Amino acid sequence: METQESYSGTCFCGAVEVTATGAPAAMGYCHCDSCRTWSASPVNAFTLWKPESIRVTRGADNLATFNKTSRSYRKWCKSCGGHLFTDHPHWGLIDVYAATIPTYRHQPQVHVNYAETVLPMKDGLPKMKDLPKEMGGSGETLPEERSVALEMELG
Ligand SMILES: [Zn+2]
Ligand SMILES: [Zn+2]
């Protein structure tokens, strides 16, 4: 049987450890306002995994959940407030923030919710206006420069 690679990481204080095994279904950057205010950073580097790939390997009783909507169950450490991952049950996927699992090399494929960006990135990757069609979005892409131009227009 093939052995699958595992990637572990912890919250800020180390009380909670999460382990991802195998390979994610998708990787990229989310520019939405919810990711921004939750992460306190301009973009969220995401890695989306099937739930069976993710295990809380330490401190599960220290894990708390906040859900503003039924689409995102955000997991954080009760001791340090550090964020670990977001469960998206309607997609059957879990977003383990790329920074949470530092041994997994982030290989972004796409930018999502780029219409909401405050930090345009010219890296040649597709820029989805919101989300891909298969995830319930419009599937529309934006040119990289458009948001930059819009921002300049707005001053
Ligand atoms: Zn912690
Ligand atoms: Zn987002």
PDB file of all heavy atoms in Angstrom, residues 15-27:
ATOM      1  N   ALA A  15      -1.022  24.435  21.243  1.00  0.00           N
ATOM      2  CA  ALA A  15      -1.935  23.523  21.945  1.00  0.00           C
ATOM      3  C   ALA A  15      -2.709  22.621  20.977  1.00  0.00           C
ATOM      4  O   ALA A  15      -2.982  21.469  21.281  1.00  0.00           O
ATOM      5  CB  ALA A  15      -2.915  24.317  22.809  1.00  0.00           C
ATOM      6  N   VAL A  16      -3.062  23.175  19.831  1.00  0.00           N
ATOM      7  CA  VAL A  16      -3.840  22.404  18.852  1.00  0.00           C
ATOM      8  C   VAL A  16      -2.962  22.125  17.630  1.00  0.00           C
ATOM      9  O   VAL A  16      -2.332  23.027  17.087  1.00  0.00           O
ATOM     10  CB  VAL A  16      -5.117  23.153  18.394  1.00  0.00           C
ATOM     11  CG1 VAL A  16      -5.930  22.276  17.442  1.00  0.00           C
ATOM     12  CG2 VAL A  16      -5.954  23.576  19.588  1.00  0.00           C
ATOM     13  N   GLU A  17      -2.950  20.851  17.253  1.00  0.00           N
ATOM     14  CA  GLU A  17      -2.200  20.459  16.053  1.00  0.00           C
ATOM     15  C   GLU A  17      -3.160  19.825  15.059  1.00  0.00           C
ATOM     16  O   GLU A  17      -4.017  19.027  15.430  1.00  0.00           O
ATOM     17  CB  GLU A  17      -1.119  19.441  16.425  1.00  0.00           C
ATOM     18  CG  GLU A  17      -0.263  19.008  15.217  1.00  0.00           C
ATOM     19  CD  GLU A  17       0.655  17.839  15.574  1.00  0.00           C
ATOM     20  OE1 GLU A  17       0.128  16.725  15.827  1.00  0.00           O
ATOM     21  OE2 GLU A  17       1.868  18.054  15.623  1.00  0.00           O
ATOM     22  N   VAL A  18      -2.986  20.183  13.794  1.00  0.00           N
ATOM     23  CA  VAL A  18      -3.802  19.600  12.735  1.00  0.00           C
ATOM     24  C   VAL A  18      -2.870  18.924  11.735  1.00  0.00           C
ATOM     25  O   VAL A  18      -1.755  19.397  11.494  1.00  0.00           O
ATOM     26  CB  VAL A  18      -4.715  20.672  12.079  1.00  0.00           C
ATOM     27  CG1 VAL A  18      -3.916  21.769  11.415  1.00  0.00           C
ATOM     28  CG2 VAL A  18      -5.671  20.050  11.071  1.00  0.00           C
ATOM     29  N   THR A  19      -3.329  17.791  11.197  1.00  0.00           N
ATOM     30  CA  THR A  19      -2.507  17.044  10.244  1.00  0.00           C
ATOM     31  C   THR A  19      -3.312  16.769   8.983  1.00  0.00           C
ATOM     32  O   THR A  19      -4.438  16.264   9.041  1.00  0.00           O
ATOM     33  CB  THR A  19      -2.034  15.713  10.865  1.00  0.00           C
ATOM     34  OG1 THR A  19      -1.277  16.008  12.046  1.00  0.00           O
ATOM     35  CG2 THR A  19      -1.158  14.923   9.889  1.00  0.00           C
ATOM     36  N   ALA A  20      -2.724  17.133   7.857  1.00  0.00           N
ATOM     37  CA  ALA A  20      -3.334  16.874   6.553  1.00  0.00           C
ATOM     38  C   ALA A  20      -2.550  15.746   5.888  1.00  0.00           C
ATOM     39  O   ALA A  20      -1.321  15.730   5.937  1.00  0.00           O
ATOM     40  CB  ALA A  20      -3.292  18.127   5.693  1.00  0.00           C
ATOM     41  N   THR A  21      -3.278  14.804   5.281  1.00  0.00           N
ATOM     42  CA  THR A  21      -2.620  13.660   4.654  1.00  0.00           C
ATOM     43  C   THR A  21      -3.034  13.551   3.190  1.00  0.00           C
ATOM     44  O   THR A  21      -4.210  13.700   2.859  1.00  0.00           O
ATOM     45  CB  THR A  21      -2.994  12.364   5.402  1.00  0.00           C
ATOM     46  OG1 THR A  21      -2.598  12.509   6.775  1.00  0.00           O
ATOM     47  CG2 THR A  21      -2.273  11.156   4.816  1.00  0.00           C
ATOM     48  N   GLY A  22      -2.055  13.302   2.344  1.00  0.00           N
ATOM     49  CA  GLY A  22      -2.341  13.151   0.923  1.00  0.00           C
ATOM     50  C   GLY A  22      -2.096  14.457   0.192  1.00  0.00           C
ATOM     51  O   GLY A  22      -1.087  15.114   0.407  1.00  0.00           O
ATOM     52  N   ALA A  23      -3.046  14.805  -0.669  1.00  0.00           N
ATOM     53  CA  ALA A  23      -2.916  16.026  -1.466  1.00  0.00           C
ATOM     54  C   ALA A  23      -4.231  16.789  -1.446  1.00  0.00           C
ATOM     55  O   ALA A  23      -5.304  16.187  -1.417  1.00  0.00           O
ATOM     56  CB  ALA A  23      -2.552  15.680  -2.904  1.00  0.00           C
ATOM     57  N   PRO A  24      -4.166  18.127  -1.463  1.00  0.00           N
ATOM     58  CA  PRO A  24      -5.397  18.914  -1.462  1.00  0.00           C
ATOM     59  C   PRO A  24      -6.128  18.841  -2.801  1.00  0.00           C
ATOM     60  O   PRO A  24      -5.527  18.505  -3.826  1.00  0.00           O
ATOM     61  CB  PRO A  24      -4.908  20.339  -1.180  1.00  0.00           C
ATOM     62  CG  PRO A  24      -3.495  20.367  -1.642  1.00  0.00           C
ATOM     63  CD  PRO A  24      -2.962  18.969  -1.464  1.00  0.00           C
ATOM     64  N   ALA A  25      -7.419  19.174  -2.753  1.00  0.00           N
ATOM     65  CA  ALA A  25      -8.231  19.205  -3.973  1.00  0.00           C
ATOM     66  C   ALA A  25      -7.973  20.471  -4.777  1.00  0.00           C
ATOM     67  O   ALA A  25      -8.092  20.476  -5.993  1.00  0.00           O
ATOM     68  CB  ALA A  25      -9.713  19.114  -3.604  1.00  0.00           C
ATOM     69  N   ALA A  26      -7.617  21.544  -4.071  1.00  0.00           N
ATOM     70  CA  ALA A  26      -7.360  22.823  -4.748  1.00  0.00           C
ATOM     71  C   ALA A  26      -6.546  23.722  -3.832  1.00  0.00           C
ATOM     72  O   ALA A  26      -6.563  23.564  -2.602  1.00  0.00           O
ATOM     73  CB  ALA A  26      -8.670  23.501  -5.113  1.00  0.00           C
ATOM     74  N   MET A  27      -5.845  24.648  -4.446  1.00  0.00           N
ATOM     75  CA  MET A  27      -5.041  25.618  -3.699  1.00  0.00           C
ATOM     76  C   MET A  27      -5.112  26.969  -4.393  1.00  0.00           C
ATOM     77  O   MET A  27      -5.202  27.023  -5.625  1.00  0.00           O
ATOM     78  CB  MET A  27      -3.568  25.201  -3.682  1.00  0.00           C
ATOM     79  CG  MET A  27      -3.239  24.087  -2.737  1.00  0.00           C
ATOM     80  SD  MET A  27      -1.491  23.663  -2.850  1.00  0.00           S
ATOM     81  CE  MET A  27      -1.576  22.458  -4.165  1.00  0.00           C
TER      82      MET A  27
END
